[in-house]
Amino acid sequence: MRWLVGWSSTAAGAAAIGSAGATGLDGETVHPVGSQLLWGDPDPLWAVGDWRPDEVRVVKVDAETRIAVLGTCGASDEELRLSLFSARGGALRHLTAWSGSYTAVVKVGRRTMVCGDLAGAKPVFYTPWAGGTAYSTAALPLADLIEANLDFGHLAALLAAPDVPAALHDSTPYDGVRRIPPGHALILRAGAREIAGYEPVASLAVAAAPVDPDSAVDAVRDALVDAVRARLSAPRHVPDIDPGPVPGMGPAERRAARGMPVPGIGADLSGGPASGTLALLAAGLPGAPGTVLGHGTGAGERLLAVTFNDLAVRGRESEVERAGTLAANPRLHHVVVTGGEDVLPYAELDGPLTDEPGPSLITAARHRARLAAGSADHFTGYGARQVLDAHPARLADLLMDRKRRHLVRPVAALAKADGSVMVPGRVYGAARRLARTPYGAGLEVLADRLMNQRFDEPGGAVGASLAALTWARPGPAARWLTGEALAEVSVRLQGAPSRQGQGVGPGQRPGDFRARAALARHAGDLRVLEQAAEIRSQRLHMPFLDNQVVRACRTLPEALRVQPGARAAILRTVLEGAGVGDLPPGWGAPSHASAAAASRTGLRVAADSLMALFDTPLLAQAGLVEARVVRKALRAAAQGEPLPLDGLADLVSLELWLGRLLARRGTCWTGTPARARAVPAGIRPQRGALASGGGAGVA
């Protein structure tokens, strides 16, 4: 895990802070464990973790003006230096417009500016501390710093309404630690803080200017090519040298057994359009994308393409076959990783502590098995669906813009899937109601549903689309929460419109708003996955979540997005524009099979261990669930009853995360007493305390 941390002190407290750390409440000197100091003086900044040398750059104009960029950034040192002159005047957007995935921190005198990303994969957190403000790209270090307890209201909202920003607001699992929203920056001036958006906001009174679909797709292609090229142009990284032979093992087997990736650059090749696009782009661009010269097969020419073949659950044979056809490209070296019941979801309940909880904790072992065969720099297609596909609520946006004719094809596709002539009228009516419903009214409906525990929704593809045609909806795990927890989330929702900046601003149509919220949740879960499935010396690259790629995808016309098969068509055009053709038949066809089947099979195989996990669950101690209710649901799902499997994944992953957090004994800081860590007193049984705990979040 890698993060940066710093703070900004008031003028009165500046004398207590220097390059060695800060003086805490008990007079001890505080600084992060295993850190490298990027700058000291009154407002210090550290990089913590196993950063590569090329991933940390600090450029100075003078003693008062400097910028630190951490991650993969396509800007040159001269571009960073020039950016500081604009940043002096308060301009921030250009700091987020370079290719790559990174966090930028600018210091101008006593003013510090920290830029988050658009997707939410590179978040920024902050907390009041020692009379000023401490900030970090991870929440746990700040929770350690202030000895934060758990925020039970946030945990309840995470289960009851995970896709609703108004329910989560700016809270984190740690009481007192806050996050800035995607697309915003944290600005600190001598300890005082301000959160400012850096993206331009359109007017709702005037329809957006028409965008040519061809030029929008060309912009997506250019952004993706730049994102891939930024990774290819970075210095090649060779993991720790193989310490020697093991009888009966070849070099690849030794690396996998020791948790070491293959040197060089590789990519996922699942057979789907997103990973295939990145693999073909990386293999086709100039820059020798294959392995490092002299290390492994390929000799600097071929890119390592990894395909996961699930032997325990069938249904993706056609995708694996397409991956094999793509891998016939002479610039690719294909590796197929097979997995049985040992890598099903829920099969492995042990793992590292992540910064925050996320549903991907139950599948971390599954992903780790694939990534262990990957390269030191590994491309993945995560995020493509969220940035390219149309959220069903975008149908309401088309109605608001008087573009009814563009609803014909998506509604016809739903009618064909359902086989009912009533579908067009139902979908059109739901889209029309959403287009005419104010945001506050949508939150009131959700608050009422939670308070009265109404969670029934229609099934099938049409039912899912109809349920999504709302401003807000209950999460899949909400049906298993206690009445007290649901009431707490309901109160948070009722107080949401009164919060400054929480309401939907100008230019936020319901479909666009829902799509951004879904992207933020997905990006946050991918951040959890990256930490839970981490392979030593490996970097996962997710170009679809880069700022410039997200911006380019947001310019795609909604009329293009909502058409069936739009994502595959866009990526096919991207590849053709980059000179890549001859895609196999069926490329981009939707996969119907295996995610739900794998989850259900994993539940059945791991039923006994899950029952033991929820024998005396921490979630019950926190007052969020009743143990017998969850055990009954797990038993029913394992027997095949049609329960929402993603809701059970939310419950199990949160229980796992709480157990790992409370079993932890270390801290992120040195020079602190032993008590200086998050949740020092553990979980105390909650008896009517949820409402009082959530009151701080509502105020």
Side-chain angles (χ1 to χ4, degrees), residues 175-201:
D175 190 20
V177 179
R178 304 291 178 184
R179 82 175 71 233
I180 68 170
H184 287 67
L186 177 66
I187 303 173
L188 304 173
R189 295 180 177 87
R193 59 186 171 272
E194 172 191 356
I195 298 173
Y198 53 73
E199 286 294 280
V201 178

Side-chain angles (χ1 to χ4, degrees), residues 287-451:
T291 56
V292 178
L293 187 65
H295 291 269
T297 60
E301 296 178 359
R302 297 199 288 174
L303 178 137
L304 180 67
V306 180
T307 300
F308 181 76
N309 186 13
D310 191 350
L311 301 181
V313 179
R314 295 298 179 181
R316 305 195 70 167
E317 291 81 6
S318 59
E319 285 197 1
V320 174
E321 183 179 348
R322 281 196 295 272
T325 305
L326 289 171
N329 186 322
R331 296 184 65 86
L332 295 177
H333 172 60
H334 195 207
V335 172
V336 178
V337 178
T338 58
E341 290 188 352
D342 58 323
V343 292
L344 281 171
Y346 306 99
E348 184 179 324
L349 300 183
D350 292 329
L353 172 65
T354 56
D355 192 44
E356 296 182 276
S360 60
L361 288 179
I362 65 166
T363 59
R366 189 176 182 84
H367 293 286
R368 195 181 303 116
R370 181 188 82 253
L371 297 173
S375 296
D377 289 279
H378 197 77
F379 285 93
T380 69
Y382 295 135
R385 186 186 303 273
Q386 284 68 30
V387 299
L388 290 173
D389 284 10
H391 192 282
R394 287 191 185 273
L395 298 178
D397 296 0
L398 290 173
L399 288 181
M400 295 176 71
D401 289 339
R402 302 179 183 274
K403 296 179 180 178
R404 295 179 180 85
R405 62 186 179 90
H406 295 293
L407 274 67
V408 174
R409 286 186 60 194
V411 171
L414 286 173
K416 182 179 179 181
D418 189 74
S420 171
V421 296
M422 304 298 293
V423 168
R426 294 168 63 197
V427 173
Y428 182 82
R432 184 175 166 182
R433 282 193 301 273
L434 177 57
R436 297 181 175 184
T437 301
Y439 175 66
L443 291 184
E444 289 177 4
V445 170
L446 176 59
D448 181 71
R449 289 188 65 182
L450 293 177
M451 186 69 76

Side-chain angles (χ1 to χ4, degrees), residues 23-398:
T23 300
L25 299 179
D26 294 340
E28 71 280 2
T29 300
V30 180
H31 59 272
V33 174
S35 61
Q36 56 175 312
L37 184 69
L38 301 184
W39 60 65
D41 303 325
D43 306 313
L45 176 67
W46 290 274
V48 186
D50 60 335
W51 294 96
R52 297 175 181 174
D54 59 285
E55 291 177 330
V56 180
R57 287 194 288 166
V58 179
V59 175
K60 294 193 295 185
V61 170
D62 52 48
E64 296 292 320
T65 308
R66 62 194 73 182
I67 181 173
V69 176
L70 292 92
T72 302
C73 180
S76 65
D77 287 353
E78 183 60 27
E79 288 176 306
L80 296 180
R81 191 172 290 107
L82 290 174
S83 71
L84 286 170
F85 295 101
S86 300
R88 278 176 170 173
L92 294 176
R93 189 176 187 272
H94 67 287
L95 301 175
T96 68
W98 299 305
S99 58
S101 179
Y102 57 88
T103 300
V105 184
V106 173
K107 188 172 185 297
V108 181
R110 291 302 311 279
R111 181 162 51 110
T112 302
M113 295 164 279
V114 192
C115 296
D117 68 335
L118 290 174
K122 298 279 187 182
V124 178
F125 305 90
Y126 67 92
T127 188
W129 182 73
T133 300
Y135 62 90
S136 176
T137 54
L140 183 57
L142 299 183
D144 279 348
L145 189 65
I146 65 171
E147 298 181 339
N149 287 308
L150 290 169
D151 185 341
F152 296 105
H154 174 87
L155 298 180
L158 204 59
L159 294 173
D163 293 321
V164 184
L168 298 170
H169 192 34
D170 62 350
S171 60
T172 68
Y174 312 102
D175 190 20
V177 179
R178 304 291 178 184
R179 82 175 71 233
I180 68 170
H184 287 67
L186 177 66
I187 303 173
L188 304 173
R189 295 180 177 87
R193 59 186 171 272
E194 172 191 356
I195 298 173
Y198 53 73
E199 286 294 280
V201 178
S203 172
L204 188 62
V206 180
V211 179
D212 177 50
D214 293 336
S215 61
V217 174
D218 288 345
V220 173
R221 180 200 64 213
D222 293 342
L224 272 176
V225 169
D226 288 344
V228 173
R229 185 176 285 121
R231 274 82 172 183
L232 297 182
S233 60
R236 293 290 192 270
H237 179 72
V238 181
D240 297 335
I241 302 300
D242 191 342
V246 175
M249 283 189 180
E253 293 171 312
R254 290 200 303 269
R255 277 193 295 266
R258 291 166 174 162
M260 295 171 57
V262 178
I265 296 179
D268 282 341
L269 190 63
S270 67
S275 63
T277 297
L278 294 179
L280 293 173
L281 283 178
L285 290 176
T291 56
V292 178
L293 187 65
H295 291 269
T297 60
E301 296 178 359
R302 297 199 288 174
L303 178 137
L304 180 67
V306 180
T307 300
F308 181 76
N309 186 13
D310 191 350
L311 301 181
V313 179
R314 295 298 179 181
R316 305 195 70 167
E317 291 81 6
S318 59
E319 285 197 1
V320 174
E321 183 179 348
R322 281 196 295 272
T325 305
L326 289 171
N329 186 322
R331 296 184 65 86
L332 295 177
H333 172 60
H334 195 207
V335 172
V336 178
V337 178
T338 58
E341 290 188 352
D342 58 323
V343 292
L344 281 171
Y346 306 99
E348 184 179 324
L349 300 183
D350 292 329
L353 172 65
T354 56
D355 192 44
E356 296 182 276
S360 60
L361 288 179
I362 65 166
T363 59
R366 189 176 182 84
H367 293 286
R368 195 181 303 116
R370 181 188 82 253
L371 297 173
S375 296
D377 289 279
H378 197 77
F379 285 93
T380 69
Y382 295 135
R385 186 186 303 273
Q386 284 68 30
V387 299
L388 290 173
D389 284 10
H391 192 282
R394 287 191 185 273
L395 298 178
D397 296 0
L398 290 173

